[in-house]
Amino acid sequence: MALNDDELKERMNRFVPPTAALLGQEILEIDSAAGRVKMKFQPIDACRNPMGNIQGGIVVAMLDDAAAFAAIIKSGKRIGIPTIELKTSFFAPARAGVPLFAEGRCIKLGKRIAFMEADLFDEAGTLIARLTTSAVPVEMPDHSQLVDRS
């Protein structure tokens, strides 16, 4: 029996990748038919760069998660989505200590390759960064490293 979007959101917020705690990850909204996800992130203080902002690689990790989650929910299956390439453009600093919001979109999901994009915003709606990426959809192994947050 397939899960509806609310059930899927609850499950994906409960069973998370180990990086979820580092990134302060929470799924806010899922639209599986459109392949779109909205997420909230609040990375831990150790993710700051010397200027006090969130380090660029951490910004990329948040965007990569949002894009991957969009492809996963669009697939309707329990899959992994290993990245094969990505590009990120940065427009503004990601301030530490405040929530950040991402929207991930699956542009095309094929059997061998998926194309996604994601945007990261601050609370005021300022675009911080945009990622475009492609990945290979693969069946999720039984020994996946998901953590139960319940």
Side-chain angles (χ1 to χ4, degrees), residues 89-112:
S89 297
F90 296 90
F91 306 109
R95 305 281 181 216
V98 297
L100 301 168
F101 300 90
E103 180 178 329
R105 297 169 297 280
C106 183
I107 307 304
K108 179 170 174 49
L109 179 65
K111 291 181 182 178
R112 292 185 227 192

Side-chain angles (χ1 to χ4, degrees), residues 20-39:
L22 172 76
L23 300 177
Q25 173 188 297
E26 178 187 358
I27 297 173
L28 302 175
E29 186 180 315
I30 285 176
D31 183 341
S32 55
R36 193 176 71 246
V37 63
K38 292 186 179 180
M39 302 174 76

Side-chain angles (χ1 to χ4, degrees), residues 32-136:
S32 55
R36 193 176 71 246
V37 63
K38 292 186 179 180
M39 302 174 76
K40 177 181 171 185
F41 294 96
Q42 192 149 3
I44 64 171
D45 284 344
C47 295
R48 294 176 188 219
N49 65 22
M51 294 174 55
N53 298 314
I54 302 302
Q55 195 268 343
I58 302 299
V59 169
V60 174
M62 291 184 280
L63 290 166
D64 188 47
D65 277 357
F69 276 51
I72 291 165
I73 63 154
K74 187 168 181 95
S75 77
K77 302 176 188 173
R78 192 167 183 263
I79 64 168
I81 197 86
T83 303
I84 56 175
E85 69 76 37
L86 60 78
K87 177 189 182 293
T88 304
S89 297
F90 296 90
F91 306 109
R95 305 281 181 216
V98 297
L100 301 168
F101 300 90
E103 180 178 329
R105 297 169 297 280
C106 183
I107 307 304
K108 179 170 174 49
L109 179 65
K111 291 181 182 178
R112 292 185 227 192
I113 193 162
F115 297 93
M116 298 91 61
E117 59 186 17
D119 293 326
L120 188 69
F121 302 92
D122 65 14
E123 286 183 295
T126 302
L127 179 61
I128 294 168
R130 174 168 288 159
L131 171 133
T132 57
T133 185
S134 54
V136 177

